[in-house]
Amino acid sequence: MADGDFLALGGPSVDGEAALRPVPRHVALIMDGNGRWAAKRGLPRFEGHRRGVEALRRAVRAAIEMEIEYLTVYSFSVENWSRPREEVQSLMGLLHRFIRNDLAELDANNVRVQVIGARDDLVAEVAALLREAEQMTEENTGLTLVVAFNYGARQEIAAAARAIAEAVVAGRLSPDEIDADTISARLHTADIPDPDLIIRTSGEQRLSNFLLWQAAYAEFSFLPINWPDFDEAAFRSAIDDYAHRDRRFGRVEPVTCNAKTGS
Ligand code: FPP
C-alpha cells in the first residue's frame, strides 16, 4: 500500500500503536471449509483436514515473513466434539502429528506456541502434548502462534465471570472496581493483544463462538475460498486490504496519521 492513512488512537484498552501499522500485529484465522474442499473433489473429509494442516504451515511461514506478531488459529472448538467420532479422532490425530512433526521447526524459527481453550476435559495425552509445545517454546521471541483448541468464547467469558464472582465473594475485589479490563485480565488471552484482523475462509460470515470479547474492534476479512486453498497470496492480499481500512474505535473524528511523516 502507498503509505496510506492511519488513525491515531487513544482509547484506554485499545492498542493504538498496532492500529497505526499497515501490517496487523495480531491476525486470527477461522480455518473453515476443509469438508467442502474435500467434498468438491470426491475425497473424504479427513483429506480436507490434512490439506488444511498444510495450509496452516504456509500461513505460519507467511506470518513470520510479514512480521506479524501474533497468529491465532481456531483449530478445534468446544462445539466440534459433536462431530462424528471418527472425525474428532482424525482431528486429534492431526493435532498430534502437527505438534510432533512441526514443533522442532517452529522452535527453530523462534515461534512461541500458546494454547487457549479449556484444558480440564482433554484426555491426558493431548493436554500433555499442548503443555510440551508451550514449555518448549516459551522463551522464543518471534511469532506467537496461539492455538485455540477446545476453545469457546462464551465458555471463556463465563469462566472469567466465575473467577470475578469468586474474588468478590472472597473480598478480594469490590463490584464497583469491575470494568472491561477486569474481564480481559481473566480471559485465556490475558497477555495477548486483541486481534486486529480476523480472516475467515469458506465464504461464511460469522464468528462461531471465536474471540467474541477480543474481537470488539477487529477488522474482518471473509474470503470465498476454502481453507486448504488459503495460500501466501491470499494472506498477503487480505493484509493489503486491511492496510487500507480506517480504524475508528468508536471515534467521531478520526485522527489521521500518515505512516511516513507520523503527522
Ligand atoms: C473447519 O472445516 C475446520 C475445522 C473444524 C478444523 C480446522 C483444523 C485444521 C485446519 C487442521 C487441524 C489443525 C490442528 C493444529 C489440529 P470444516 O470441517 O467445518 O469444513 P466444512 O464447513 O466445509 O465442512
Side-chain angles (χ1 to χ4, degrees), residues 98-116:
F98 177 69
I99 293 184
R100 278 279 156 269
N101 297 341
D102 293 48
L103 189 57
E105 189 187 331
L106 291 170
D107 190 38
N109 282 309
N110 199 20
V111 174
R112 179 180 177 200
V113 177
Q114 262 187 276
V115 181
I116 57 171

Side-chain angles (χ1 to χ4, degrees), residues 5-182:
D5 292 330
F6 297 92
L7 305 176
L9 310 156
S13 58
V14 156
D15 183 355
E17 199 222 328
L20 296 176
R21 298 182 209 179
V23 173
R25 185 175 185 199
H26 182 175
V27 177
L29 299 171
I30 303 179
M31 309 182 287
D32 194 16
N34 294 345
R36 276 163 283 178
W37 183 93
K40 264 192 194 165
R41 292 160 178 80
L43 297 168
R45 291 178 61 80
F46 170 75
E47 188 54 22
H49 293 314
R50 199 187 64 75
R51 294 290 290 263
V53 176
E54 288 176 12
L56 173 59
R57 285 194 188 103
R58 288 196 297 267
V60 170
R61 285 192 203 112
I64 294 170
E65 271 179 31
M66 289 189 277
E67 299 185 356
I68 288 164
E69 289 179 39
Y70 294 84
L71 184 71
T72 298
V73 297
Y74 203 6
S75 64
F76 195 87
S77 75
V78 286
E79 290 82 13
N80 285 155
W81 292 109
S82 60
R83 292 188 173 208
R85 193 180 146 79
E86 313 77 66
E87 183 165 347
V88 170
Q89 271 175 347
S90 72
L91 284 167
M92 293 294 155
L94 283 174
L95 173 81
H96 196 274
R97 252 169 287 156
F98 177 69
I99 293 184
R100 278 279 156 269
N101 297 341
D102 293 48
L103 189 57
E105 189 187 331
L106 291 170
D107 190 38
N109 282 309
N110 199 20
V111 174
R112 179 180 177 200
V113 177
Q114 262 187 276
V115 181
I116 57 171
R119 308 281 180 110
D120 306 349
D121 46 350
L122 292 179
V123 293
E125 198 201 346
V126 173
L129 203 63
L130 298 176
R131 211 175 315 117
E132 181 190 335
E134 289 184 313
Q135 285 173 353
M136 180 168 166
T137 61
E138 69 189 347
E139 306 282 315
N140 291 345
T141 54
L143 173 75
T144 298
L145 175 64
V146 183
V147 179
F149 190 84
N150 195 23
Y151 177 83
R154 286 182 167 178
Q155 290 76 2
E156 177 189 38
I157 294 167
R162 211 175 307 123
I164 291 169
E166 283 165 4
V168 170
V169 168
R172 284 182 274 114
L173 187 67
S174 150
D176 55 18
E177 287 172 333
I178 298 170
D179 59 12
D181 290 340
T182 318

Side-chain angles (χ1 to χ4, degrees), residues 209-227:
N209 205 16
F210 186 51
L211 302 178
L212 299 182
W213 177 272
Q214 299 86 340
Y217 287 101
E219 297 291 322
F220 291 90
S221 182
F222 297 109
L223 304 182
I225 55 171
N226 288 320
W227 174 252

